[in-house]
Amino acid sequence: MSSTRYANPLDPVVQQVPWVILGDTITIEITQSGRMLVDGCLVETSHATAQANVNEVALREQLTELANEAGRTCSQSHDLYVENFSASVDGLTARLPEPWSQRVLEMARAFDYATAQERAESQNWNAGHGYCSHGIELGSCPAGCGSGPDD
C-alpha cells in the first residue's frame, strides 16, 4: 500500500465503510473505477478483489442489521432469536449467487445462525424436555405457551 493519499477528481469515492480493527477505526473507500483506498491511500489490487472486499463488508453490515432486528423481536429468548435470525439469513442467501450465499452462511455462524435441520433438532429437544417453541419453560412463556389446557 502506498503512503501517498489518492486524489483523482475523475475517480470519486462512491462508498465509504468504517472498519474497526483491534480498537482502531479505519475507513475503507471504493472509488468509481473500483480502486480500494484505506484511510485515503491506494491499495494496489484488482477491481474484482476490491469489489469482493466491498461485497463482504456490505454483507457483514447486512448480517449485523438482521441480527439486531432478530434481537429486538425475540423477547430475550435465544431460541427465538436463532429462529428469527436464521430464517432471515435463509431468505437472504436464497437471493444470492452460490459463492456469496456460502460465504454469508459462514459469516452468519458468528451471529448464532442455525441451519433448518439444527433448528428442527432444537425444537424437537425443547418439545421433549418441557420447553415451548420459544425455548422457554412451559407455563413461563410470555406468549402463553403451556399455560392453557390446549397447549
Side-chain angles (χ1 to χ4, degrees), residues 2-106:
S2 68
S3 59
T4 306
R5 296 197 61 82
Y6 179 82
N8 183 344
L10 300 176
D11 189 20
V13 171
V14 294
Q15 184 174 11
Q16 291 183 324
V17 179
W19 195 267
V20 178
I21 300 175
L22 299 174
D24 293 328
T25 302
I26 62 170
T27 302
I28 297 173
E29 301 170 309
I30 303 299
T31 68
Q32 188 171 17
S33 70
R35 289 184 171 87
M36 184 167 60
L37 312 175
V38 175
D39 282 342
C41 297
L42 179 64
V43 175
E44 296 297 331
T45 184
S46 70
H47 176 73
T49 302
Q51 191 59 46
N53 291 337
V54 169
N55 288 343
E56 186 147 336
V57 168
L59 289 171
R60 185 168 305 282
E61 287 176 355
Q62 192 163 10
L63 286 172
T64 300
E65 289 175 21
L66 293 175
N68 289 340
E69 180 62 24
R72 283 190 292 275
T73 61
C74 73
S75 301
Q76 297 190 8
S77 163
H78 183 261
D79 286 11
L80 185 55
Y81 163 83
V82 169
E83 185 70 36
N84 292 345
F85 174 71
S86 299
S88 295
V89 169
D90 290 345
L92 172 62
T93 58
R95 299 186 312 266
L96 293 173
E98 181 58 36
W100 285 110
S101 64
Q102 287 299 14
R103 183 64 185 127
V104 166
L105 293 175
E106 292 168 10

